[in-house]
Amino acid sequence: MIAIAKSNIPEILQKQRNFFQTGKTKDINFRLEQLKKLKELVTNEQPLIIKALKADLHKPEFEAYATEIGAVKEISYAIKNLKSWAKPKKADVPSEFFPYSAKIYPEPLGNLLIIGPWNYPFQLVISPLVGAIAAGNCAIVKPSELAPHTSNLLAQLFSKYFPQEYIAIVEGGVETSQELLQEKFDHILFTGGTAIGKIVMAAAAKHLTPVTLELGGKSPCIVDTEINLEYTAKRIVWGKFLNCGQTCIAPDYLLVNRQIKQDLIATLQKTIKEFYGDRPENSPDYGRIINKRHFERLTQLLNHGEIILGGDTNPEQLYISPTLIDHVSLDAPVMQDEIFGPILPILEYTDITEAIALINSRPKPLALYLFSQNKQLQTRILQETSSGGVCLNDTIMQVGVSSLPFGGVGDSGIGSYHGKTSFDTFSHYKSVLKNSFWLDLNWRYAPYKDKLALLKRIIK
Ligand code: NAD
């Protein structure tokens, strides 16, 4: 294990500050080289990455490729577009400013801190780093201590591929995180829960450090009657039970039109069996809960409502079967905080107004899902609810589209990233106005006598 002693943090940061000051990271070719190196790391080290994810989360190989190693797509996208993103852009100048010209220059922020969570412990470190590198920054990254195999592997791989004065992995838990947060960074990107997000923001405020907070929340999934039942069930089951429900944008609970509820439940039950067999415990395609604390938290949630599928647990294996719960009260613990596990409460509505009112009475979620072919209903949900993002007639897939900014709103986060938005998040857009010497109009200079009328004509 390459653990960096915590007392080294100020030293590493100083080295990174010095490195940033050399200006090397501002060179676009340097950035492109580093992105290619990052791509090499992800591509060449796949067997080790898959093994670490298996050890931490029992992650099936397919899911490791689709949701973690898949970050390689983000790298390719940045490599392809970096030159155009990094180009200064001309800005319009009003005619009265003649002969000025204006441009906006993206420049790197400097020294970044990236704090990662445990649920996608590889991808949620790599993906912010793509933007950090593309925008020309140095970064210290603290992966989650709750996925120790992946955290160790990241430390080993990064020390092999990148010099510490450019990108450094600092392993550790809460104490290390807090020690890092005492330092002054130029930007912090934090992915984790809302409660810790507040701690991070408070620490950042002391240094006036801007933050991107990628948080979670209870993402609702509305199911209307105008759907293809089979596809709807498949897409919900996949999105909910992927990574054993430990996905920030997993559908947290269903809000189903009463008329279709029984049919949907029957199809969900059938689909879960098709996906994971009669004994999901034996399925190679089904993950495990990250640790005992989360396992116990989740099993407590099974005590309310009526379990209509699953509810089986095995503490030794940290296994909880895919579980559907009906007749859930809004006061039940499962309807309070983000579930973050393989438990799906099913609530019903008679009129969509009730569903919208319920969503709007709660903190703004990271994702909102609507299954319906009804265009009017789609428009109404988009207009009357607020969430980080929306996916119509599917789940999770929105996160894979690089042209869509990814982030929350309200309690589900501040700021966004992915694709060009990552470049924007880690850049400062510097406005530059240029005058020239071939002309100098006198209208703004003292003495102002007789110039006010002209000024009034200009400022209309
Ligand atoms: P967490 O908030 O417990 O931990 C995240 C990171 O913060 C870890 O690296 C941890 O070491 C550090 N940390 C923990 N306590 C701290 C403290 N007191 N001070 C400073 N740092 C501290 O989150 P988690 O359990 O790793 O992840 C689950 C949460 O993350 C869920 O709420 C989920 O929705 C959210 N999440 C969001 C996204 C997103 O992209 N928006 C992605 C994945 C997970």
Side-chain angles (χ1 to χ4, degrees):
M1 165 169 158
I2 305 186
I4 293 165
K6 49 188 187 131
S7 56
N8 281 352
I9 288 171
E11 197 187 308
I12 298 168
L13 181 56
Q14 192 52 50
K15 273 197 213 160
Q16 291 206 348
R17 284 198 185 112
N18 296 345
F19 186 66
F20 182 73
Q21 287 306 326
T22 64
K24 227 175 156 179
T25 65
K26 293 188 177 169
D27 178 354
I28 301 299
N29 289 326
F30 173 84
R31 299 187 206 177
L32 282 169
E33 267 168 38
Q34 305 310 312
L35 285 170
K36 285 177 192 157
K37 236 188 232 177
L38 188 67
K39 191 169 171 177
E40 252 174 62
L41 181 157
V42 181
T43 316
N44 295 351
E45 310 292 351
Q46 283 178 13
L48 292 176
I49 299 164
I50 290 164
K51 203 171 146 204
L53 293 165
K54 187 95 186 165
D56 285 328
L57 286 145
H58 197 76
K59 204 165 272 213
E61 191 170 333
F62 181 89
E63 289 187 13
Y65 267 98
T67 64
E68 306 255 15
I69 292 167
V72 87
K73 264 186 70 191
E74 277 266 314
I75 310 175
S76 307
Y77 188 78
I79 292 173
K80 190 166 154 233
N81 291 292
L82 180 61
K83 283 197 172 147
S84 110
W85 295 341
K87 248 192 214 143
K89 307 276 178 313
K90 264 185 98 166
D92 287 344
V93 175
S95 56
E96 60 271 23
F97 272 72
F98 180 81
Y100 292 66
S101 61
K103 273 191 185 168
I104 304 164
Y105 288 77
E107 63 176 26
L109 293 172
N111 296 93
L112 311 180
L113 172 63
I114 295 167
I115 301 180
W118 53 261
N119 60 337
Y120 291 89
F122 185 77
Q123 191 258 122
L124 290 172
V125 159
I126 301 296
S127 184
L129 267 177
V130 178
I133 295 174
N137 300 280
C138 296
I140 293 184
V141 181
K142 196 205 79 67
S144 174
E145 72 281 16
L146 301 187
H149 295 89
T150 311
S151 174
N152 278 193
L153 180 66
L154 283 164
Q156 281 172 34
L157 294 181
F158 274 82
S159 63
K160 181 168 145 195
Y161 283 77
F162 294 95
Q164 201 189 46
E165 68 262 29
Y166 175 47
I167 295 172
I169 304 284
V170 173
E171 284 195 89
V174 176
E175 261 180 48
T176 308
S177 207
Q178 288 178 343
E179 203 192 334
L180 283 162
L181 288 169
Q182 281 172 20
E183 300 290 338
K184 181 173 171 62
F185 288 90
D186 296 300
H187 193 100
I188 299 173
L189 184 141
F190 167 82
T191 307
T194 302
I196 311 299
K198 290 179 185 171
I199 296 175
V200 171
M201 193 165 173
K206 291 203 176 123
H207 297 292
L208 219 56
T209 297
V211 289
T212 302
L213 301 178
E214 295 286 336
L215 311 177
K218 286 183 91 61
S219 297
C221 177
I222 304 170
V223 185
D224 173 47
T225 49
E226 292 183 48
I227 53 166
N228 176 312
L229 197 57
E230 187 199 336
Y231 294 174
T232 300
K234 276 187 177 164
R235 294 168 192 179
I236 292 173
V237 169
W238 176 73
K240 178 69 190 187
F241 300 109
L242 178 78
N243 201 26
C244 210
Q246 301 163 114
T247 303
C248 57
I249 47 169
D252 188 272
Y253 61 97
L254 297 187
L255 276 167
V256 188
N257 187 309
R258 203 182 170 148
Q259 288 172 43
I260 204 166
K261 186 175 159 196
Q262 287 318 320
D263 290 345
L264 180 72
I265 286 177
T267 319
L268 288 171
Q269 289 169 326
K270 184 170 137 270
T271 308
I272 291 171
K273 290 204 170 152
E274 277 169 16
F275 279 17
Y276 306 111
D278 285 328
R279 301 204 48 188
E281 197 166 1
N282 299 334
S283 165
D285 302 327
Y286 189 67
R288 293 294 182 271
I289 304 306
I290 186 73
N291 61 22
K292 202 159 175 269
R293 182 168 69 82
H294 280 283
F295 174 83
E296 279 164 7
R297 176 184 65 78
L298 287 162
T299 49
Q300 290 301 313
L301 302 181
L302 298 172
N303 297 335
H304 301 263
E306 183 194 338
I307 293 176
I308 50 171
L309 185 85
D312 307 318
T313 62
N314 178 346
E316 265 125 61
Q317 284 217 10
L318 299 174
Y319 165 79
I320 300 177
S321 63
T323 300
L324 302 178
I325 306 188
D326 197 0
H327 303 119
V328 180
S329 121
L330 285 178
D331 305 327
V334 78
M335 283 308 294
Q336 302 313 307
D337 297 322
E338 180 183 11
I339 297 171
F340 222 56
I343 301 169
L344 185 61
I346 303 170
L347 278 68
E348 63 182 45
Y349 65 84
T350 313
D351 187 320
I352 192 67
T353 312
E354 297 162 33
I356 294 173
L358 171 66
I359 292 166
N360 289 342
S361 71
R362 293 174 165 241
K364 292 180 181 177
L366 185 56
L368 185 147
Y369 300 109
L370 167 67
F371 285 85
S372 177
Q373 298 189 69
N374 182 327
K375 290 222 167 79
Q376 272 176 330
L377 182 61
Q378 293 176 358
T379 308
R380 185 164 172 205
I381 294 295
L382 292 180
Q383 277 183 348
E384 295 185 22
T385 65
S386 176
S387 55
V390 171
C391 187
L392 300 172
N393 299 324
D394 212 326
T395 66
I396 313 284
M397 297 303 284
Q398 73 273 27
V399 76
V401 180
S402 295
S403 57
L404 287 176
F406 180 77
V409 57
D411 281 16
S412 57
I414 294 177
S416 50
Y417 73 126
H418 284 192
K420 163 100 168 31
T421 320
S422 296
F423 179 86
D424 295 343
T425 290
F426 295 128
S427 295
H428 164 61
Y429 277 91
K430 185 159 72 181
S431 294
V432 177
L433 183 69
K434 185 159 114 184
N435 199 350
S436 68
F437 289 119
W438 64 273
L439 177 76
D440 197 34
L441 297 173
N442 258 334
W443 64 269
R444 65 187 156 132
Y445 302 136
Y448 297 133
K449 192 169 174 296
D450 300 332
K451 291 179 181 168
L452 188 59
L454 176 64
L455 181 66
K456 282 184 178 168
R457 250 182 286 137
I458 293 173
I459 305 174
K460 260 201 306 217

